[in-house]
Structure formats: structure tokens, C-alpha cells
């Protein structure tokens, strides 16, 4: 979803307010407007950072757009655009360890409107192409000599992340095409709703489920391990051709898209329109939304005439040859019945608004997530309030506005599940509610639910409802208790829903689960921040030795590619607990690991730590070199430390910071050829 896209861009000016000789009243009014602008820039900046970098929401899309439009109007009135304003910034800095690369030309956001009539006016006498505005991650693909050469994300519009290896495993990106010249195209990587629901169904823990296809797609595309990407069914839809040397498209964008289709690319669905037909085309797209398997957040209108579009140029933020159309959300008024507080495995207690049922976009809705305490307070919610609700992108129910703003909602001081004390935590100016009771049944039940899930111990026959019965009956207090349920045979057989057959099937499933992998068990413990992918990376880094891993230091964890300080601290803290280690000991006595250990002959770089810098010649990219090192038992980290064994740099005489650090520490600097010779000799 591109949020920062007004209909008309403001011209950037110096962040300086010069008051003229107007009246005191005018000056006060100007100062008031400037103060409000500063407030809006701060609010929108925090919301944008949370949305794009941290995959969380501080406010609804409707609220963001309202505040954004207010800021834009104030900028037009005052002629001032403050530094940091989202109306002149395109995206945010990247927080990834993927290689970075600058785009040849900036990837701008689009101007926007919610009025079909504005589209007709924008087209004038020209014809255009109206297409879906897909809600995923924008990617630039480059082909050379008929093969995929490079894939880069949009990033912040100026600099993107290189994800070539991941793009190669997208479901529908061709690896080889007929055209042999240099081809550059742009498109959207997306995950279908059907695939999104399927992936979420396989995650037993409700807290670990993905919020929406866009978040899942963003994480999947930017993985450091493309094996994970390959399992996520990512698809790519081309929407623009940037360069294709030597091909005459007769000045038509439609012909460009048709040509791309002929090269094997899936092209975004579009309709050719003029000012008389564009409104009807918008209506056709709108009718298709409920049955559309791909997430979209509107439409894009582009001039078909290439030369005319280019002649219009661009503003500081927007190209003038295209415009976005966002759906005018159907908003209905209703009455808030109450706020339901739902406890999770991590102790987080989430607010959900329950209201009198209303019809929205053809379905009846009565619930909407409010996300956190800050939004409850921002909306000033209270039982009986008159509220308006809508579906974000015509899919997800949200509260648009609270008309009465009673502010009477009470933040529960006791957990709705266990009655234990709650506590409000504030991080990055966002308030969330937690249960402080470590023995809260909600934590236990959802923790057990994760433990038995398909990606963890894969135990069939233990739904959350069944686990709740076993916990309430006292059969299960620890993970290991699940493997001793035969002690309660008679009691289980007397429970509703259990017969001899289902009981025997459960025991058989528990027996099978005892033969597992180290990564599944580690993931099953529910350590905050440790997903299955991270668990696999950790197990491999520690040679599939659980004792080595549980006694690892924060520094050792952080040196592992993809494991940052937050996850490292979470892992280290978990294994500092005697209680947790006792739980681990009990499980290690019960399970057998069947991880495929590489042979000693294959692990010629076992225990060696490498850093790779600079350009590479013998590999497609540094990730390919990294993959080779890891396949031979070595590890690749991002910075040179005293623990580094080798720095690989073809320019061994450069004055780069990594070269200087390696020389200070006496660490050998190898060229690629020297590295390849070394592994041959090994």
C-alpha cells in the first residue's frame, strides 16, 4: 500500500517561516497553522515508519489519509513544506542486511484521487490504461542476454535491496526470455489471498499468524534464505517497461505491456479507457474486488501515449504521466457494544471492537481490531458510542471515526483469562497492554498450541480446545507432560469428543513427534522472535548441537547472518532461566533428532568465520559466495571482529574500513582466487 500520495504535490521550499507585515491576527493564524503542520509531520512520520519498517499500524489508513490531506492543504495555504514532511519524502531508509543498490532513476509515488470524475478530467482528450494497483512490494527486474540478471526492491525510492536470488524462485518470473538485449521492467510482487490463508492455516499459534498478504509478501521477498521465499508462492505482475533497447513500441504503453506478455511475463490486468468510459471501467473493477484473489488498494491510470506522458515531466514527488485511484470507502454508522480484550501467548492483550452488525461491501460485519491501547485512547472509545466503520481496501473492517467520543472505555486492570494484574507498556510511543502473570492459562494454552503446531512438533489431534481441557484437568503443565498422556487414559476417554480410536491416534501422533529436528523443537519453545526460519539458521550455525546453542553468548548470536540484537537478546535471556532450562532438559530426554549432519569431508571450512566485501567476479553476487562458504561449514558475518578468520576482498590494497580493521587485527585478506585455491587445497 502506498500511503503518501495526494492528488497534487506541494512544491518543496526552505524550512523557514517568514512572516510579512500582516496584522497580528494573521500572524497568529499563520503560527497556529505552522504548529499544526509540525504536529502532523511528527504523527505521520511515526505512522509511516511503523507501517513500512516495522509492519505495525499506529492508525487506520482512513485516519492517515485524513491527516495527510490536512497537512497538504496547510502546505498549500502557507507555502511552507517542513523538513521531514511525507509530502516530499518517498519512503524510508532500509533496515535490512541485504545488499543495497541505487536505482538509475527515482521510483516515485503516485498522485491520487478518490473521484472517478477527476480521472476523466485528468485524461482530457487522451486515452489511457486503467489497471489494478496491487498491494505488495514493487520490484525492478533487469534481464541481460535473455536471462534474469538482477532484481531490486523499490526500497526508499532512491536505493533498493538486491533480492535477485529470491526473485528467481518467484512462482511466475521467467528465468530466460526470447529478447536478448537489456530489458528493465517494474512490477509488483504479491501473495494471493488463497495462498495467504493456506500459509496462516499451517501456523498453529494465533499470535504467529501473519496480519495480511502485504506483510507476508514483504517478509518473503526480503528473506536472506531464498528457500523460505520459494515456499511462500510469491508472484510477480509487470506494470511498466523501463528499457528495451532496439524495440519499437509505436509510442504505446499498451504495446509495451503486450510485448512483455509475449516475453513470458504476467502483466497486471488493465482496460483501455477515455474520459467517456473511465467511470464505467472503475465500476467494473470495483465489482471484481470481492472475488479478486490478489490484494489491491486501488487502481492506476496511465497515459497510453508514451511521448506525451514523458513531456509532462514530474514534480518533486510524483510523475505526471500516471495517477492512482483509491476506493471511496463505504462507511456505515453503528453503535459500539463493548471492547473485547483477547490475551495471547506472549501476554499481549489485544482490544477488539464489537459493534451492532452492519452491511459493508456486501457482507455483515460486527467486529474490528483496534490494535492497541493507543488507538483506543486516540478514538476515545466507550460502550454505546456512535461510531463509523469501513473496510480497509474493501477487505478488513476498521473504525473510521467515533462520533460521540465518550472516552469511557476502561483499560482492564486484570487479565480477562486469569485475573492477574495487567500492565501498560509504551514503546516507540505506542501503548500496549500485557498480562503480568507468568502462569496465565492463555499464555500456556497458546504456548502449547504453538508447540504442537505443524511447523513445531507436528502433533495431530491437539486443537486449542482440547489443550484447554487437558490444562484445566491438570494433565498438562509442561511441554513434556504431553508425552505422558497415557497416564490419564480413562479420564481422556470419558471426555466429550474422545473415543478409543481418537485416543489411540493421539498417542500414535505423540510417538511420531518424538522423532523430530532440532529446529522444530527450538521453534516450539515459543522464544519471542524465533520463527522456524530463524531456528533453522541458529541450529545450522551451532552445528546442530543444542548444548552449544543454549550456552551461546549474545555476541555469538548476533554474528549469525539474520540474527539481530533483539533476537539475540531474546534467545540469550530465555536460556538464562533455570525454569526454561529444566523444561529443555525434560524435552531433550524425550526426543531424538534426525537432522542431516554434513560429513566432515564436506565441512572443510567448519568453524571458520568470513566477511565478504567489495565486488565479486567469480560469483553472480556476494550471496552466492556466502552460500558456498556456508555449504562448506563456514559462516559469513557483516563486520570484521577479532573472531573473523578471513576477509574476502578483491581489492586487498583498498583503504576501506573493513580492510583497515582486518589489517589492525592481523586477519588475512583474500582475493576470490586465493579463497577458491584455499578450499581446493582443503
Amino acid at each position: 500500500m502506498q500511503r503518501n500520495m495526494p492528488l497534487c504535490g506541494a512544491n518543496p521550499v526552505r524550512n523557514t517561516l517568514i512572516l510579512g507585515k500582516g496584522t497580528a491576527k494573521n500572524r497568529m493564524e499563520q503560527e497556529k497553522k505552522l504548529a499544526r503542520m509540525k504536529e502532523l509531520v511528527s504523527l505521520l512520520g511515526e505512522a509511516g515508519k511503523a507501517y513500512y519498517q516495522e509492519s505495525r499500524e499506529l492508525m487506520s489508513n482512513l485516519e492517515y489519509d485524513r491527516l495527510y490531506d490536512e497537512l497538504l492543504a496547510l502546505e498549500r495555504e502557507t507555502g511552507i513544506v517542513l523538513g521531514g514532511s511525507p509530502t516530499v519524502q518517498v519512503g524510508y531508509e532500509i533496515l535490512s542486511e541485504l545488499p543495497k543498490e541505487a536505482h538509475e532513476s527515482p521510483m516515485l509515488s503516485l498522485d491520487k484521487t478518490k473521484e472517478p470524475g477527476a480521472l476523466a478530467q485528468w485524461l482530457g482528450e487522451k486515452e489511457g490504461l486503467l489497471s489494478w494497483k496491487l498491494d505488495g512490494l514493487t520490484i525492478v527486474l533487469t534481464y541481460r542476454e535473455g536471462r534474469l540478471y538482477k532484481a531490486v526492491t523499490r526500497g526508499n525510492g532512491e536505493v533498493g535491496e538486491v533480492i535477485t536470488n529470491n526473485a528467481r524462485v518467484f512462482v511466475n518470473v521467467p528465468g530466460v526470455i526470447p529478447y536478448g538485449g537489456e530489458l528493465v521492467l517494474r512490477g509488483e510482487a504479491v501473495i494471493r489471498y488463497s495462498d495467504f490463508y493456506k500459509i496462516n492455516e499451517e501456523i498453529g499459534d494465533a499470535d504467529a499468524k501473519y496480519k495480511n498478504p502485504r506483510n507476508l509478501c514483504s517478509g518473503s521477498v526480503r528473506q536472506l534464505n531464498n528457500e523460505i521465499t520459494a515456499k511462500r508462492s510469491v508472484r510477480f505482475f509487470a506494470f511498466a517497461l523501463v528499457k528495451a533497447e532496439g524495440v519499437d513500441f509505436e509510442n504505446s504503453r499498451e504495446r509495451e505491456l503486450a510485448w512483455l506478455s509475449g516475453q513470458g511475463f504476467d502483466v497486471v490486468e488493465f482496460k483501455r479507457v477515455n474520459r467517456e468510459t473511465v467511470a464505467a471501467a472503475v465500476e467494473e473493477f470495483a465489482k471484481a474486488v470481492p472475488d479478486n484473489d490478489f490484494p489491491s488498494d486501488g487502481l492506476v491510470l496511465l497515459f497510453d501515449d508514451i511521448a506525451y506522458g514523458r513531456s509532462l515531466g514530474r514534480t518533486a514527488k510524483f510523475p505526471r504521466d500516471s495517477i492512482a485511484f483509491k476506493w471511496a470507502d463505504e462507511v456505515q454508522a453503528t453503535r459500539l457494544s463493548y471492547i473485547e480484550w483477547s490475551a495471547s501467548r506472549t501476554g499481549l492483550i489485544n482490544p477488539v471492537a464489537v459493534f451492532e452488525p452492519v452491511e459493508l461491501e456486501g457482507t455483515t460485519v460486527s467486529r474490528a481490531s483496534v490494535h492497541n491501547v493507543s488507538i483506543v485512547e486516540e478514538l476515545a472509545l466507550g460502550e454505546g458510542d456512535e461510531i463509523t466503520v469501513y473496510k480497509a481496501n474493501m477487505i478488513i473492517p476498521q473504525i473510521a471515526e467515533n462520533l460521540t467520543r465518550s472516552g469511557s472505555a476502561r483499560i482492564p486492570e486484570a487479565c480477562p483469562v486469569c485475573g492477574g494484574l495487567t500492565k501498560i507498556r509504551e514503546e516507540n510511543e505506542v501503548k500496549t497492554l500485557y498480562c503480568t502473570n507468568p502462569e496465565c492459562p492463555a499464555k500456556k494454552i497458546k504456548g502449547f498450541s504453538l508447540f504442537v503446531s505443524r511447523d513445531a512438533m507436528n502433533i495431530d489431534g491437539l486443537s486449542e480446545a482440547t489443550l484447554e481441557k487437558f490444562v484445566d484437568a491438570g494433565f498438562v503443565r509442561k511441554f513434556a507432560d504431553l508425552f505422558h498422556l497415557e497416564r490419564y487414559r480413562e479420564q481422556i476417554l470419558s471426555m466429550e469428543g474422545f473415543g478409543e480410536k481418537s485416543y489411540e491416534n493421539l498417542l500414535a501422533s505423540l510417538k511420531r513427534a518424538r522423532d523430530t529436528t532440532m529446529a522444530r523443537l527450538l521453534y516450539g519453545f515459543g522464544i519471542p522472535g524465533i520463527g522456524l526460519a530463524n531456528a533453522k539458521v541458529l541450529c545450522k550455525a551451532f552445528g546442530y548441537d543444542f548444548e552449544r546453542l543454549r550456552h551461546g553468548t549474545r555476541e555469538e548470536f548476533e554474528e549469525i547472518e539474520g540474527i539481530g540484537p533483539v533476537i539475540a537478546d531474546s534467545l540469550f535471556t530465555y536460556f538464562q532461566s533455570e525454569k526454561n532450562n529444566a523444561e529443555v532438559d525434560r524435552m531433550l530426554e524425550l526426543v531424538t533428532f534426525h537432522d542431516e549432519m554434513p560429513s566432515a569431508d564436506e565441512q572443510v571450512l567448519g568453524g571458520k568465520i568470513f566477511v565478504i566485501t567489495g565486488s565479486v567476479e567469480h560469483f553472480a553476487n556476494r550471496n552466492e559466495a556466502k552460500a558456498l562458504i556456508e555449504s562448506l561449514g563456514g559462516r559469513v558475518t557483516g563486520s570484521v571482529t577479532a573472531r573473523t578468520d578471513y576477509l574476502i576482498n578483491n581489492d586487498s590494497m583498498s583503504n576501506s574500513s573493513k580492510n583497515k580493521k582486518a589489517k589492525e587485527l592481523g586477519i588475512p585478506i583474500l582475493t576470490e582466487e586465493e579463497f577458491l585455491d584455499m578450499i581446493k587445497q582443503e
Side-chain angles (χ1 to χ4, degrees), residues 647-660:
L647 171 65
I648 298 176
N649 186 355
N650 285 322
D651 186 2
S652 59
M653 302 304 293
S654 79
N655 289 319
S656 70
S657 59
K658 288 179 180 175
N659 268 24
K660 288 179 180 178

Side-chain angles (χ1 to χ4, degrees), residues 479-498:
F479 293 136
D481 294 339
L482 290 165
F483 296 89
H484 299 295
L485 289 174
E486 71 279 358
R487 299 169 179 170
Y488 309 101
R489 180 179 183 277
E490 296 305 322
Q491 294 98 311
I492 292 173
L493 286 173
S494 67
M495 288 181 171
E496 184 179 349
F498 265 98

Side-chain angles (χ1 to χ4, degrees), residues 259-279:
W259 182 82
L260 284 173
S261 181
Q263 295 293 313
F265 296 96
D266 283 341
V267 173
V268 65
E269 180 188 347
F270 66 89
K271 300 178 188 295
R272 190 179 184 93
V273 296
N274 56 38
R275 66 181 180 184
E276 282 77 30
T277 62
V278 66

